């Protein structure tokens, strides 16, 4: 199938993950086009659109959200998936409210009538020496809130990208290809547990 990967990045980690995802999709015989949001790619005429962005200030990078906003109408008709690159992967509950982790993805889900059929978080990287002065100050505060110090850290793991690609293709076959306007009811009625039982039977 034809896949568009649209992304943004500030320090290159998301770009690295996108490059690996492209290679892995291609190894599975899919045709992949990669485009930075600044190239203003059109999401029309693809079988699948993958959106990728780092998390900044508690949400998907605004440049990706801007692209989504601009192409929302066209995107409703295309099966979509996403990954976000972040440091606070597990997430927490602060005073009864979900914070971080997969809750970062909320704006990307709420942006659509027909939401992405799959999405996940991938570990990011922080290198204080490479941050702009302003970003450094923000990151010192970010880690202070977590009770940690800002230091060089990497949570990036190629296996997370491999798992993303494997699952996107699996779930695309199960229900992703129906997750578009006009067919969405079929996908919403998908019996996930029946699929699990079917797999269990197949495994014996
Ligand atoms: C200014 C700034 C704000 C950030 N805010 C968050 C955040 O709210 N939550 C989080 O998990 N990670 C946050 N991060 C970490 C980034 O998501 C991480 O460094 C990621 O790898 C950056 O990807 P990029 O290199 O593609 O820009 C922040 C990083 C910076 C520099």
């Amino acid at each position: 199938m034809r896949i568009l990967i649209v992304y943004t990045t500030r320090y290159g980690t998301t770009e690295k993950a996108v490059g690996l995802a492209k290679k892995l999709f291609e190894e599975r015989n899919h045709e992949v086009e990669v485009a930075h949001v600044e190239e203003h790619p059109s999401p029309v005429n693809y079988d699948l659109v993958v959106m990728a962005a780092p998390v900044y200030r508690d949400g998907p990078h605004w440049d990706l959200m801007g692209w989504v906003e601009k192409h929302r109408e066209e995107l409703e008709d295309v099966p979509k998936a996403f990954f976000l690159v972040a440091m606070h992967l597990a997430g927490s509950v602060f005073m009864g409210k979900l914070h971080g982790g997969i809750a970062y993805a909320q704006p990307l889900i709420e942006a659509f009538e027909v939401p992405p059929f799959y999405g996940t978080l991938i570990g990011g990287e922080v290198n204080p020496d490479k941050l702009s002065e302003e970003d450094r100050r923000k990151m010192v505060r970010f880690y202070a809130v977590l009770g940690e110090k800002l230091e060089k850290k990497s949570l990036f793991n190629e296996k997370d990208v491999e798992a993303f690609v494997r699952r996107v293709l699996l779930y695309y076959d199960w229900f992703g290809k129906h997750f578009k306007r006009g067919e969405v009811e079929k996908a919403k009625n998908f019996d996930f547990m029946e699929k699990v039982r079917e797999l269990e039977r197949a495994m014996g």
Side-chain angles (χ1 to χ4, degrees), residues 58-203:
D58 288 328
H61 194 286
W62 42 93
D63 285 352
L64 180 75
M65 295 312 295
W67 179 81
V68 163
E69 191 48 46
K70 212 167 146 207
H71 295 280
R72 207 185 62 80
E73 260 304 305
E74 300 142 290
L75 280 164
E76 297 289 6
D77 293 317
V78 191
K80 309 170 275 297
F82 67 83
F83 66 81
L84 296 177
V85 176
M87 296 308 284
H88 190 34
L89 292 180
S92 356
V93 175
F94 283 151
M95 303 296 284
K97 283 200 190 126
L98 295 180
H99 185 91
I102 200 64
Y104 286 143
Q106 203 62 39
L108 258 184
I109 297 166
E110 286 172 358
F112 302 103
E113 215 175 291
V114 185
F117 69 89
Y118 180 67
T120 195
L121 291 189
I122 280 176
E125 299 171 303
V126 171
N127 183 349
D129 298 337
K130 288 194 180 163
L131 295 177
S132 68
E133 196 45 49
E134 193 190 339
D135 281 354
R136 233 181 80 83
R137 256 187 292 114
K138 285 181 183 156
M139 280 316 266
V140 165
R141 214 184 313 138
F142 172 81
Y143 278 112
V145 170
L146 298 175
E148 292 173 31
K149 275 201 183 124
L150 172 63
E151 55 193 3
K152 192 172 171 183
K153 292 179 207 232
S154 177
L155 304 177
F156 182 78
N157 186 340
E158 292 194 349
K159 289 206 179 328
D160 291 344
V161 183
E162 283 170 31
F164 171 79
V165 167
R166 199 180 323 116
R167 288 178 192 152
V168 162
L169 294 175
L170 180 68
Y171 302 145
Y172 183 86
D173 277 346
W174 284 6
F175 48 73
K177 54 192 165 196
H178 302 298
F179 224 54
K180 54 190 178 192
R181 206 154 39 185
E183 289 189 72
V184 71
E185 285 314 312
K186 200 169 4 171
K188 279 190 177 155
N189 292 329
F190 179 83
D191 188 343
F192 201 82
M193 286 319 291
E194 177 49 31
K195 197 81 199 173
V196 172
R197 285 189 289 273
E198 191 186 306
L199 283 176
E200 277 170 357
R201 282 195 296 273
M203 286 170 181

Side-chain angles (χ1 to χ4, degrees), residues 46-58:
Y46 293 95
D47 303 300
L48 167 68
V49 170
V50 172
M51 299 168 281
V55 168
Y56 281 89
R57 287 201 256 130
D58 288 328

Side-chain angles (χ1 to χ4, degrees), residues 11-40:
Y11 292 101
T13 307
T14 309
E15 193 162 48
K16 179 163 66 177
V18 163
L20 179 57
K22 176 184 186 331
K23 176 174 154 271
L24 295 169
F25 280 125
E26 285 174 346
E27 281 172 9
R28 288 159 176 80
N29 297 319
H30 298 289
E31 207 181 299
V32 183
E33 265 178 57
V34 168
H36 193 283
V37 285
E38 282 174 6
E39 296 171 54
H40 307 292

